[in-house]
Amino acid sequence: MNRLSDDELIRELNDRINEKNQALEELRILNEKLITVNKKLEESEALKSHFVSNITNEIVNPFASILGLSKNILRVKKEDWQKVFSMVAMIHTEAFWLDFQLKNVFAAAKIEAGEVYPEIGKVDVSSVIKTVIDSFTIEAEKKKVVFDFHFDFPNQDEPVFFFRTDPGKLELIFSNLLNNALKFSYTNGRILIRVSYEMQQLFISVHDYGVNISQEFQQLIFDRFRRVDSTITSVNRGHGLGLSIISSLLDLLGGDINFQSDPEKGTTFIVNIPEGQDNADNFTSSLDGNEIFFEDQKF
């Protein structure tokens, strides 16, 4: 057995010490990563718990309102029939938002479960856009907000424009864009909508002149379960799913979303969706506003 010299022994000890220090450093870094991951998991669970509490109220309350108003209508005497009109308007509002929120909740659940797939068909884009705009018209009138929309398609002489994409996902994407713009618009405001087709891609731009997105929140708006405006005194409805659903559905369709927000000019969201490659020739125009209750819609 060869005996080590003093210098060789010192070098060997230094090497072992360095190896041990390196292992300790790697262990420290790994421990820090585990702490960070655990913190994020705890935050995620807290956000989901808050989301469940929030969305439960936003589903239960409209149902309670609808039932209560319906019951009152049944008790209205003939001479007080005028009261029915205001109660019917309130029922429409509650049912509209309940329908919209359930669509988002079901879509988010399918996204979380990995059960969302593109179902490409030939879609009449003009019809889908106009149907969604029409569905928000009554709510916009209550806020005195005007929709100003423009189509820029290759052949303006044609009454329709067909584009291969998933009609259900296109409708939900645009619905959330419009809802977001309406929610943050000022009373007596205007929402500018532009839809165009370039280089085999569909572009949808929605611009509102209302409250801008502050710099500190711009990195959070696409986080699922998180609301930028989450204070208990918030006057804005919603559960923080809309923009995250848009982002997830666009990922599925190969699209993208960008936005610009300025305190003086408002906020513009722009989505682009590449044309689908499915060879199916099935025609889809738009979806009825109540299909969430009567059909097994696939997102």
Side-chain angles (χ1 to χ4, degrees), residues 4 8-24:
L4 296 176
E8 289 174 334
L9 182 60
I10 291 173
R11 282 198 300 270
E12 180 69 20
L13 289 173
N14 285 334
D15 288 343
R16 293 188 180 185
I17 291 173
N18 289 334
E19 289 177 1
K20 183 178 181 181
N21 288 337
Q22 184 177 355
L24 288 173

Side-chain angles (χ1 to χ4, degrees), residues 166-230:
D166 186 311
K169 294 176 181 60
L170 174 63
E171 185 181 38
L172 192 56
I173 287 170
F174 182 55
S175 294
N176 275 296
L177 286 174
L178 203 57
N179 172 66
N180 194 66
L182 181 59
K183 179 167 60 176
F184 292 104
S185 289
Y186 297 123
T187 302
N188 297 313
R190 181 168 68 100
I191 295 175
L192 179 60
I193 303 160
R194 294 186 181 277
V195 184
S196 60
Y197 177 79
E198 300 176 30
M199 301 178 65
Q200 294 187 316
Q201 292 196 84
L202 184 70
F203 290 86
I204 302 175
S205 169
V206 178
H207 177 79
D208 68 79
Y209 297 87
V211 181
N212 71 299
I213 304 171
S214 63
Q215 192 70 34
E216 62 178 309
F217 288 126
Q218 289 187 9
Q219 301 300 319
L220 303 177
I221 61 174
F222 295 108
D223 287 358
R224 195 167 302 152
F225 307 118
R226 187 191 295 270
R227 292 178 60 176
V228 170
D229 182 11
S230 60

Side-chain angles (χ1 to χ4, degrees), residues 241-268:
L241 282 178
L243 290 174
S244 70
I245 287 176
I246 291 175
S247 181
S248 296
L249 295 181
L250 286 172
D251 285 343
L252 190 70
L253 298 175
D256 197 9
I257 181 169
N258 295 284
F259 71 94
Q260 295 178 337
S261 191
D262 186 278
E264 303 296 328
K265 300 178 180 178
T267 303
T268 302

Side-chain angles (χ1 to χ4, degrees), residues 93-160:
T93 296
E94 296 296 341
F96 175 82
W97 290 116
L98 180 60
D99 175 55
F100 178 71
Q101 291 177 40
L102 285 175
K103 289 178 183 178
N104 276 333
V105 171
F106 293 157
K110 289 187 176 182
I111 290 170
E112 286 289 308
E115 297 177 353
V116 184
Y117 309 97
E119 298 180 13
I120 306 300
K122 185 186 287 186
V123 181
D124 177 1
V125 175
S126 303
S127 179
V128 172
I129 298 299
K130 289 177 180 178
T131 297
V132 173
I133 291 174
D134 183 65
S135 70
F136 279 89
T137 298
I138 294 177
E139 300 307 315
E141 288 175 349
K142 292 178 182 178
K143 203 171 183 178
K144 298 180 181 180
V145 172
V146 176
F147 292 135
D148 181 8
F149 59 98
H150 304 272
F151 293 111
D152 184 16
F153 295 143
N155 190 350
Q156 296 289 353
D157 296 329
E158 293 292 332
V160 296

